[in-house]
Amino acid sequence: MENPQQIKNDDENIVRKPIEELERVVIRLAGDSGDGMQLAGLKFTSSSVILGNDVSTFPDYPAEIRAPQGTLAGVSGFQIHFSSTEIYTPGDQLDALVAMNPAALKVNISDLKPNGILIVNEDSFTSRTLSKAGYSSNPLEDNSLAKYRLIPVKITKLNREAVSSIEGMSSKQVNLTRNFFALGLISWLYDRHLKSTISWIKQKFKNRPMIVKANTKTLKAGYYYGETNELLSIQYSVPKAEMDPGKYRYISGTQALALGLATSSQLAKKELFFGAYPITPASDLLHELVKLRGYGVKTFQAEDEIAAIGSIIGASFGGSIAVTGTSGPGLALMSEALGLAVITELPLLVVNVQRAGPSTGMPTKPEQSDLLQVLFGRNGESPLPILAPQSPGDCFDLAIEALRIALKYMTPVVLISDAFLANNIDPWKIPLLEELKTMEVVHPTTAPMSSDGRYNPYSRNENLVRPYVIPGTKGLEHRVGGLEKERVTGNVSYDPLNHEEMVNIREKKISGIVKDIPLQRVHGPSEGDVLVLSWGSTFGAAHTACKNLRKEGLSVADTNLRYLNPLPANLKDILNSYKYVLIPEMNKGQLHFIIQAQFAIKTQSLTKIQGRPFHVIEIEEEVRQIIGGLFDE
């Protein structure tokens, strides 16, 4: 709805332009990896959350710390979807694109809607940068961008003019502030307040007053340039979204995991030990937990992944909550020691933040290619529980749930996330600690004994769980190790029948966890034409696609698996309630393989392995094709 009323700006007494109200907007800021697009995107996201919008983001950046300047490989982008209604994805097509150079334009222009707003840094379109980006002519002059609302802005020049009065600024420092000019401009365009960003600048650079002044001045210069520029004839506003009452903050999947792990320490009244070796995109989990060391958290940076998992096995044996974080290549190195944790039946958690592979692959891009690895990537029969969060906020809940299962069932657990979830940002309702269930961890001081008076470390309760005895407990001294255990006594045994029995017991213990996990829930009709079965981060696109299709009157349901081993008890009945089951995955069909093998149910796989999450439209089109085929039968 367009509002023709002109309103005076409280700060500068400037007459404002008409404001059009929109339900939702998708924008992307793109430039070189050193242009500060990630920071600008985060600050825009923060402003949107403060205003009460629902948000979902997609940071996309090169693997190199400083990728070649001006090249396609060096483009860094940050996409923000903000809305007055509940949303689950960063959006498919862009309503607005800010391109700081020709390479950023070339990489991202195909995602911009026809008639979308295209703001470019006109100063960066030189013959040299055009050549590096692969342009034979200047797209700002050759009419190739005619289907977009092109707004060329001399961002470099205007930014320089904004900070020129500040003494002591080097040309490099001046250029580093350009992202705040772009942020100010896009903040004006979508009616975002500057107060929170200015407060952040003052706090972040409080010891560098020159930088505070420069960033603040160019931020405001960008904002008021939008107010006075004739090419920008209208401003847009996205109203506040309706959310459950409570206190909210914006949170990434990595931040949510860190808070969930630290909260588990409080719920269990035990120290958390996190030992890890840095690997993209899991490294930030270590960084976040270091900030929480005042809350019963100890962190350790190991020399490699083998040392990392060795350290947490030791920590678990000693009675601490033990966690490590890694990605696919690191998990491969941990596989032998993870098998050791299985056979010793020690509780610990491995957080696997998946990325595109194989080998080094594309370290900063998301993929779901490790499901078979976490299920089967160890020697021998070594089952363990696997959980997969569906959203950034869900990372908090499943971190607690994964450790609850590990401690209750004396088993290693894998929490399988990915780069998209790790970096994506959502508004998150902060729970109250007293509303969360405590974790009761019992370390017995008396336990069943053998006939010769020795402690039996592998005696079991009704869940086939052995006691969690702290080493050195008087009278309950015992040893653990990688050799097969004699049933009950824990003595080393090479007896073939005992080995088979122990393998079966360990398997039965893990499969028995099914009684302790919730039944699978379905969104939409309980039976019908198509069920879209997703897992992990594909939830957002799958759920949104199915909601849209149901509005069209199609018989479509969706469900997302958060428990991947064991699978929920009612899953087979759910799958049998639909004519067709579609499984979208960012891999070559790994869950599709598992479902067919376990339930002998015909499913259709929809795969995407481009280092990018699914678009909603991709799933919608696949479902429409399936339903069209059903009608043709």
Side-chain angles (χ1 to χ4, degrees):
M1 179 182 71
E2 191 169 311
N3 177 12
Q5 184 180 6
Q6 294 181 319
I7 305 168
K8 288 188 176 182
N9 185 288
D10 293 336
D11 296 327
E12 301 291 330
N13 203 35
I14 294 175
V15 177
R16 295 183 65 182
K17 298 174 182 177
I19 297 179
E20 181 179 339
E21 191 174 286
L22 302 174
E23 180 183 307
R24 61 185 64 203
V25 172
V26 181
I27 68 170
R28 186 182 298 163
L29 306 170
D32 268 328
S33 60
D35 281 342
M37 295 297 96
Q38 303 299 317
L39 177 59
L42 281 170
K43 294 301 103 187
F44 188 94
T45 302
S46 176
S47 299
S48 299
V49 172
I50 289 170
L51 285 175
N53 295 139
D54 196 4
V55 301
S56 182
T57 68
F58 179 48
D60 190 20
Y61 50 89
E64 292 79 12
I65 294 173
R66 188 66 175 90
Q69 192 172 15
T71 64
L72 303 183
V75 173
S76 174
F78 195 102
Q79 183 167 317
I80 313 111
H81 184 188
F82 55 106
S83 175
S84 60
T85 59
E86 192 172 18
I87 54 176
Y88 303 93
T89 76
D92 288 4
Q93 287 189 295
L94 307 176
D95 297 294
L97 170 65
V98 178
M100 298 294 283
N101 62 15
L105 176 66
K106 190 162 194 176
V107 167
N108 295 283
I109 190 61
S110 62
D111 293 330
L112 183 62
K113 291 177 180 178
N115 203 41
I117 296 171
L118 174 59
I119 299 173
V120 297
N121 178 14
E122 186 179 1
D123 293 330
S124 69
F125 282 69
T126 65
S127 57
R128 181 170 176 270
T129 58
L130 288 166
S131 176
K132 290 178 77 171
Y135 281 110
S136 57
S137 62
N138 190 338
L140 305 186
E141 301 170 352
D142 63 10
N143 208 40
S144 61
L145 302 174
K147 66 178 180 178
Y148 308 109
R149 285 186 279 171
L150 175 62
I151 302 169
V153 182
K154 295 183 179 296
I155 293 178
T156 301
K157 178 175 181 258
L158 292 168
N159 174 70
R160 190 181 298 120
E161 291 173 353
V163 301
S164 61
S165 63
I166 303 174
E167 294 183 5
M169 291 279 290
S170 67
S171 58
K172 182 178 180 181
Q173 287 174 319
V174 169
N175 284 334
L176 287 175
T177 63
R178 288 180 301 182
N179 60 328
F180 282 98
F181 186 96
L183 175 58
L185 177 55
I186 204 76
S187 295
W188 173 84
L189 183 61
Y190 291 106
D191 201 21
R192 310 286 97 175
H193 300 308
L194 299 184
K195 287 183 180 179
S196 63
T197 303
I198 292 172
S199 296
W200 178 87
I201 291 171
K202 289 177 179 178
Q203 178 61 33
K204 177 68 175 179
F205 303 105
K206 60 185 177 183
N207 297 323
R208 303 171 69 188
M210 180 180 69
I211 303 301
V212 171
K213 190 174 182 181
N215 285 337
T216 303
K217 286 193 73 172
T218 196
L219 178 72
K220 289 182 176 180
Y223 187 92
Y224 294 122
Y225 178 83
E227 189 76 69
T228 58
N229 186 275
E230 294 180 0
L231 291 175
L232 293 163
S233 59
I234 194 167
Q235 194 177 19
Y236 300 96
S237 176
V238 177
K240 181 178 179 180
E242 290 188 10
M243 295 185 179
D244 293 336
K247 190 173 183 179
Y248 286 80
R249 59 164 287 183
Y250 73 85
I251 198 167
S252 70
T254 296
Q255 292 169 330
L257 273 174
L259 289 174
L261 295 174
T263 301
S264 298
S265 171
Q266 300 295 311
L267 295 173
K269 296 181 173 58
K270 294 181 71 66
E271 182 180 85
L272 171 71
F273 177 85
F274 185 85
Y277 179 73
I279 181 171
T280 302
S283 301
D284 283 342
L285 185 54
L286 175 59
H287 304 158
E288 290 295 329
L289 284 167
V290 167
K291 301 174 187 176
L292 301 173
R293 56 184 179 271
Y295 297 91
V297 176
K298 283 190 175 178
T299 55
F300 167 62
Q301 181 174 317
E303 64 266 32
D304 56 36
E305 285 87 355
I306 298 172
I309 193 166
S311 73
I312 71 164
I313 288 174
S316 174
F317 185 48
S320 294
I321 294 179
V323 186
T324 188
T326 190
S327 192
L331 185 67
L333 291 172
M334 293 180 176
S335 61
E336 181 184 2
L338 194 50
L340 174 62
V342 170
I343 200 169
T344 55
E345 299 182 57
L346 285 169
L348 54 86
L349 175 61
V350 177
V351 177
N352 176 30
V353 187
Q354 301 167 103
R355 70 189 204 188
S359 188
T360 308
M362 298 191 295
T364 61
K365 310 302 181 184
E367 204 164 272
Q368 294 180 298
S369 54
D370 296 347
L371 178 56
L372 296 182
Q373 181 181 197
V374 298
L375 277 167
F376 307 121
R378 295 168 297 282
N379 68 297
E381 300 289 342
S382 50
L384 46 74
I386 301 166
L387 286 73
Q390 63 181 207
S391 67
D394 196 36
C395 289
F396 175 87
D397 296 328
L398 279 201
I400 297 173
E401 175 69 353
L403 283 171
R404 180 191 71 83
I405 290 173
L407 292 164
K408 181 174 180 178
Y409 288 90
M410 289 292 287
T411 178
V413 177
V414 174
L415 184 68
I416 185 168
S417 177
D418 61 49
F420 173 54
L421 276 186
N423 297 318
N424 189 10
I425 291 172
D426 272 352
W428 177 61
K429 185 179 179 181
I430 302 172
L432 298 174
L433 187 62
E434 54 268 25
E435 294 176 351
L436 303 174
K437 292 182 180 179
T438 58
M439 297 183 193
E440 186 178 359
V441 184
V442 178
H443 298 293
T445 55
T446 60
M449 298 290 183
S450 62
S451 57
D452 58 2
R454 292 185 178 182
Y455 162 55
N456 288 326
Y458 287 87
S459 57
R460 300 178 185 274
N461 65 13
E462 67 279 4
N463 294 320
L464 301 179
V465 178
R466 76 175 188 87
Y468 193 4
V469 172
I470 299 293
T473 301
K474 187 174 181 180
L476 303 183
E477 294 86 356
H478 63 287
R479 63 180 180 181
V480 296
L483 293 172
E484 184 59 280
K485 312 290 180 287
E486 184 180 60
R487 188 179 67 84
V488 181
T489 69
N491 295 330
V492 173
S493 173
Y494 296 104
D495 178 78
L497 294 179
N498 177 80
H499 172 57
E500 184 171 52
E501 184 177 6
M502 290 297 287
V503 166
N504 290 335
I505 287 173
R506 289 189 289 263
E507 180 185 31
K508 190 175 180 180
K509 181 180 75 168
I510 301 304
S511 62
I513 296 173
V514 71
K515 66 181 181 295
D516 203 18
I517 66 176
L519 294 175
Q520 190 67 20
R521 294 177 56 197
V522 172
H523 301 280
S526 58
E527 58 182 26
D529 290 339
V530 178
L531 173 71
V532 178
L533 174 65
S534 63
W535 68 276
S537 66
T538 52
F539 163 75
H543 183 58
T544 303
C546 292
K547 281 183 68 176
N548 293 343
L549 293 167
R550 286 194 290 271
K551 289 177 183 177
E552 296 175 13
L554 299 181
S555 177
V556 180
D558 66 281
T559 189
N560 178 268
L561 284 175
R562 298 161 73 235
Y563 296 84
L564 292 163
N565 191 47
L567 292 166
N570 63 331
L571 181 60
K572 184 175 182 179
D573 290 338
I574 289 174
L575 298 177
N576 280 321
S577 298
Y578 300 87
K579 297 175 185 176
Y580 228 99
V581 177
L582 175 68
I583 305 179
E585 301 179 76
M586 289 190 288
N587 58 44
K588 290 295 290 181
Q590 296 185 19
L591 180 63
H592 167 69
F593 173 83
I594 295 298
I595 295 297
Q596 287 195 316
Q598 186 153 338
F599 298 126
I601 291 173
K602 184 179 179 182
T603 61
Q604 179 166 321
S605 180
L606 175 62
T607 67
K608 184 174 184 178
I609 42 175
Q610 301 172 13
R612 289 188 168 192
F614 275 100
H615 286 165
V616 173
I617 190 66
E618 293 170 331
I619 298 176
E620 288 180 356
E621 289 177 351
E622 190 71 18
V623 173
R624 286 193 184 97
Q625 286 188 10
I626 291 171
I627 291 179
L630 289 173
F631 289 156
D632 293 339
E633 290 177 359

